[in-house]
Amino acid sequence: MTFAISLYDLSVWVHVSAVVVGLGTTFVGAVSFPLALRAGVRHLPYVHELQLAISQRITGPALGLVVVTGIYQTIDADWGFGSFWISATFAIVIALGAMNGVYFTPTDRKLAAQAQRELDETGNVSDDYQRKARTEGIMGGVAGLLIIAAVFLMVTKPGA
């Protein structure tokens, strides 16, 4: 019995694994924030620290792997960067990376500090904090929809 695994096959495996692990974890926020609220507002700083760690240690590196392996696969399989499904997916991945670095990471840092400060001072979080946390939740939903759209494009390859 012979097993022939090409570099392309390994690249697809790394690519899909990075998507599942790195982007799948981003959906944790949709569950962790409501659970923290139910358990008590004292858990809110932890939720932001958790999301920050996920963004920096898992999502960011995974997006890098997705881009590198995606470029390799596009070149090796001669798909062509001009194909709608490839260019749209690359645009989505770049948008997700920008959202992660420019919005989610700094926002979680600020909200963790704000929640902790307000809890230390008053034992509760302010309307300002809650408004910012809701906005982050909405942005998380947008990111989730982008992830689902990218998976759809990669699976269906419209126009290929």
Side-chain angles (χ1 to χ4, degrees):
M1 182 173 352
T2 304
F3 291 101
I5 300 173
S6 68
L7 185 57
Y8 183 88
D9 293 333
L10 286 174
S11 175
V12 171
W13 173 70
V14 169
H15 188 82
V16 171
S17 296
V19 169
V20 170
V21 173
L23 301 179
T25 56
T26 63
F27 291 92
V28 169
V31 175
S32 61
F33 193 80
L35 285 174
L37 282 174
R38 201 169 346 153
V41 292
R42 69 184 182 283
H43 300 291
L44 292 173
Y46 171 78
V47 170
H48 293 295
E49 292 294 334
L50 174 64
Q51 289 179 210
L52 182 60
I54 289 169
S55 291
Q56 292 177 319
R57 297 180 190 150
I58 299 173
T59 305
L63 283 169
L65 283 173
V66 168
V67 168
V68 169
T69 55
I71 290 170
Y72 168 75
Q73 291 163 33
T74 302
I75 292 168
D76 189 63
D78 200 26
W79 288 109
F81 289 98
S83 298
F84 168 75
W85 66 277
I86 290 177
S87 57
T89 304
F90 271 112
I92 289 170
V93 170
I94 291 166
L96 289 169
M99 289 171 76
N100 192 46
V102 175
Y103 180 74
F104 289 113
T105 297
T107 298
D108 278 316
R109 267 196 196 102
K110 291 174 188 171
L111 288 177
Q114 181 178 356
Q116 190 63 61
R117 184 176 57 254
E118 291 176 2
L119 288 167
D120 290 345
E121 292 171 1
T122 68
N124 210 343
V125 292
S126 67
D127 290 342
D128 177 62
Y129 166 84
Q130 291 179 40
R131 186 173 47 259
K132 290 175 183 173
R134 271 192 305 277
T135 300
E136 185 181 34
I138 291 167
M139 293 297 289
V142 169
L145 289 174
L146 288 173
I147 292 166
I148 298 301
V151 170
F152 174 80
L153 291 170
M154 296 302 296
V155 170
T156 63
K157 297 174 180 50

